[in-house]
Amino acid sequence: MGADKQALDAIFKEVFEEGVSEGVNQANPLRDLIKTERVPFKGLEIVKLMHTSRNVSPMFVGEDGAFADAGQQGYVRFAINQKKLMSRLRMTWEVMQDSTSTEGAFISARKSEMQYLIDDMAHRDEHALNSDGRGVLGLVDEATPNGDTTLELDAPGGITNDNFGNRYFSNGMYIAFVNPNTGGLRASTTKAKVVAINTDGTDVTVDAAANIGATTANSDYVVQAANSSVTDVLDTSYEHAWWGVMALVDDGTYRANYFGAVRADVPATSAYVTASTGALSTDLMQRVSDVVDQKLKGKVGIILCHHSTRRLVIQLTDSDRRYTQGNLMRPDPATVAFKQGDVPFGDVPVRALRDFPLDVMMFLDVNNMGFKEYVSEPGKWVDEDGSVLVRVGTGTSGRDAFEAWYRMRKQYFVEYPAYCARLDGITGQTLVVQRPAGS
């Protein structure tokens, strides 16, 4: 028998191509879109004053007639705090040392782990910016969640919706359950760990049914926990995220108290919001623009929504599209949205965002709303002790390994929410459950 590659397999080398293919969706479309005014943060909190109401005494009167008692102007204070996002990595000396050359590794483990962690922080920032700041991943959607390892979910990000409840969960995450009535942590000896995520978007699988906890109930908040032994809500994500657009452009649905101002008492802090919108129509969208103009002379500059909701806007204009003589033989059934461009609605761009709430449409006056980002730390490796890489453990617990921590600390704020509006509960979409690659 002559030689062939199977017979002489031992003599052949594997030839490796340089570089690493990117299989993770690293785009952060809302963060890239929102142009915030970055303001430094110092002290306990930032306090801002807003003029909120008029003196009501001006009155037409007759000759020698009585006129109204003295009134006064109304004011409210905002107290803007900070929220922190932390992450860390751990590497052994060997993995750093043995990956320093191209002969030994595709890439440097130290360099790639540190750079990709910064990208992961930006990805979590994007999630938060699309939410309401409560740090909720989803809601429990079953009557007896402690019964098995499959946890049914809805309301992704804590935003009302029956679909795609596992949207913001990640494999390997520890989760805890919060009583929505008290804000207290549900008891369990060990916190559940996510070991699988259902592709249809309805549930996650946890490591043990008992870890869900016997007192966990339907509609409880599901939040991220630091580890399996957490017993205090302080060690979870609950109420520790910075506020996103669902809190900033709101009427009290998700945030009744707006940085110290009660929205029900201060109209300028409340956006125009419809709770159960139903079918989308051009008349409805025009109504929103009219209300924003009447309330605070707002001018809608951009409309934000999920891809499934943008398709409803395309459907609204299908029957009105016209073709010129040059393309009658080859009519194009698509719009600029097919190349993921913005669909114009009255010259206002409609922007589809990957992580945006599923049945929500938001109308922003980007020029007048006053979107600010109060920042005490925009993002850096923790190095106050003089070193980014810190040895793991001491004494008998010491290991020849190193940890590095990364920190961001800030808060988003909209000075004039009333310049904006929001439609919740839009119906008619065809939702395709699709998680971003790498999540």
Side-chain angles (χ1 to χ4, degrees):
M1 178 180 177
D4 59 16
K5 291 192 72 173
Q6 182 177 356
L8 299 183
D9 177 72
I11 74 168
F12 290 98
K13 293 181 178 180
E14 291 179 319
V15 178
F16 294 103
E17 187 174 332
E18 294 292 330
V20 178
S21 299
E22 182 58 82
V24 175
N25 187 339
Q26 300 286 20
N28 299 303
L30 182 55
R31 188 65 188 88
D32 295 339
L33 166 68
I34 297 294
K35 303 304 179 186
T36 58
E37 177 188 347
R38 182 167 286 188
V39 183
F41 182 94
K42 297 292 182 184
L44 178 65
E45 56 192 11
I46 298 292
V47 178
K48 291 181 63 68
L49 186 69
M50 174 183 275
H51 179 210
T52 60
S53 62
R54 305 177 187 276
N55 183 322
V56 299
S57 67
M59 170 184 170
F60 293 104
V61 298
E63 182 179 355
D64 202 24
F67 57 97
D69 293 339
Q72 70 284 322
Q73 303 297 317
Y75 300 91
V76 69
R77 285 187 177 189
F78 299 119
I80 303 157
N81 58 6
Q82 293 282 273
K83 300 292 185 178
K84 186 162 65 171
L85 179 63
M86 293 288 297
S87 62
R88 63 175 150 190
L89 56 83
R90 184 183 188 276
M91 294 177 288
T92 63
W93 175 81
E94 286 85 355
V95 78
M96 290 189 291
Q97 178 67 23
D98 295 345
S99 65
T100 55
S101 67
T102 55
E103 290 84 2
F106 283 105
I107 52 176
S108 163
R110 177 175 172 175
K111 181 178 179 180
S112 64
E113 286 294 305
M114 296 181 79
Q115 180 56 56
Y116 283 141
L117 185 60
I118 294 173
D119 293 340
D120 296 340
M121 292 282 281
H123 185 66
R124 190 55 57 88
D125 181 13
E126 177 77 6
H127 280 184
L129 190 53
N130 281 275
S131 73
D132 63 2
R134 288 180 295 169
V136 175
L137 300 171
L139 269 60
V140 175
D141 190 31
E142 56 179 310
T144 55
N146 192 39
D148 55 45
T149 58
T150 301
L151 179 66
E152 300 294 330
L153 301 160
D154 65 0
I159 307 303
T160 303
N161 194 281
D162 289 333
N163 302 299
F164 209 173
N166 67 13
R167 186 181 189 189
Y168 298 116
F169 288 75
S170 295
N171 208 352
M173 231 181 218
Y174 286 100
I175 56 175
F177 302 89
V178 173
N179 184 333
N181 298 316
T182 66
L185 201 62
R186 298 289 193 185
S188 63
T189 304
T190 303
K191 292 298 171 281
K193 183 178 183 179
V194 177
V195 296
I197 297 174
N198 194 333
T199 56
D200 69 5
T202 59
D203 59 62
V204 298
T205 303
V206 299
D207 54 349
N211 293 344
I212 292 178
T215 61
T216 299
N218 191 28
S219 297
D220 273 4
Y221 298 148
V222 189
V223 299
Q224 186 174 4
N227 52 59
S228 63
S229 58
V230 164
T231 58
D232 194 322
V233 74
L234 174 66
D235 301 320
T236 73
S237 62
Y238 183 59
E239 289 292 3
H240 294 142
W242 41 72
W243 288 20
V245 291
M246 291 298 289
L248 303 173
V249 181
D250 190 33
D251 66 342
T253 301
Y254 295 103
R255 291 290 185 179
N257 188 300
Y258 189 66
F259 296 102
V262 178
R263 276 183 148 136
D265 299 334
V266 186
T269 63
S270 290
Y272 172 68
V273 177
T274 64
S276 300
T277 300
L280 196 64
S281 69
T282 54
D283 176 72
L284 177 59
M285 295 175 71
Q286 180 62 51
R287 188 192 318 164
V288 172
S289 176
D290 292 344
V291 169
V292 169
D293 177 68
Q294 294 168 45
K295 190 169 186 179
L296 208 59
K297 202 60 182 175
K299 302 294 181 186
V300 177
I302 192 167
I303 301 171
L304 307 180
C305 59
H306 185 254
H307 294 75
S308 58
T309 304
R310 180 179 64 177
R311 290 195 293 272
L312 295 179
V313 178
I314 297 172
Q315 292 173 22
L316 290 178
T317 59
D318 270 348
S319 61
D320 299 321
R321 300 226 305 281
R322 298 290 183 269
Y323 302 98
T324 61
Q325 186 173 358
N327 64 11
L328 285 176
M329 298 300 294
R330 299 179 62 189
D332 183 358
T335 68
V336 292
F338 193 76
K339 291 186 175 181
Q340 298 309 312
D342 296 337
V343 176
F345 186 87
D347 291 332
V348 174
V350 178
R351 178 75 56 89
L353 299 171
R354 178 194 66 215
D355 298 315
F356 204 74
L358 300 175
D359 59 357
V360 174
M361 180 172 281
M362 193 169 288
F363 302 74
L364 303 182
D365 183 343
V366 291
N367 293 324
N368 295 305
M369 63 191 290
F371 208 134
K372 295 184 178 181
E373 184 180 4
Y374 289 94
V375 181
S376 53
E377 179 49 70
K380 67 172 291 188
W381 294 100
V382 176
D383 63 352
E384 279 77 5
D385 58 357
S387 177
V388 171
L389 290 173
V390 179
R391 282 179 289 185
V392 175
T394 58
T396 57
S397 66
R399 297 292 183 270
D400 191 10
F402 298 83
E403 274 198 354
W405 302 349
Y406 196 84
R407 173 200 298 138
M408 296 171 68
R409 187 167 177 259
K410 61 182 179 180
Q411 180 63 283
Y412 291 110
F413 177 75
V414 168
E415 192 160 4
Y416 304 107
Y419 274 107
C420 306
R422 200 178 78 214
L423 299 178
D424 293 352
I426 297 171
T427 60
Q429 303 96 322
T430 301
L431 174 65
V432 179
V433 173
Q434 179 60 62
R435 296 174 63 84
S439 65

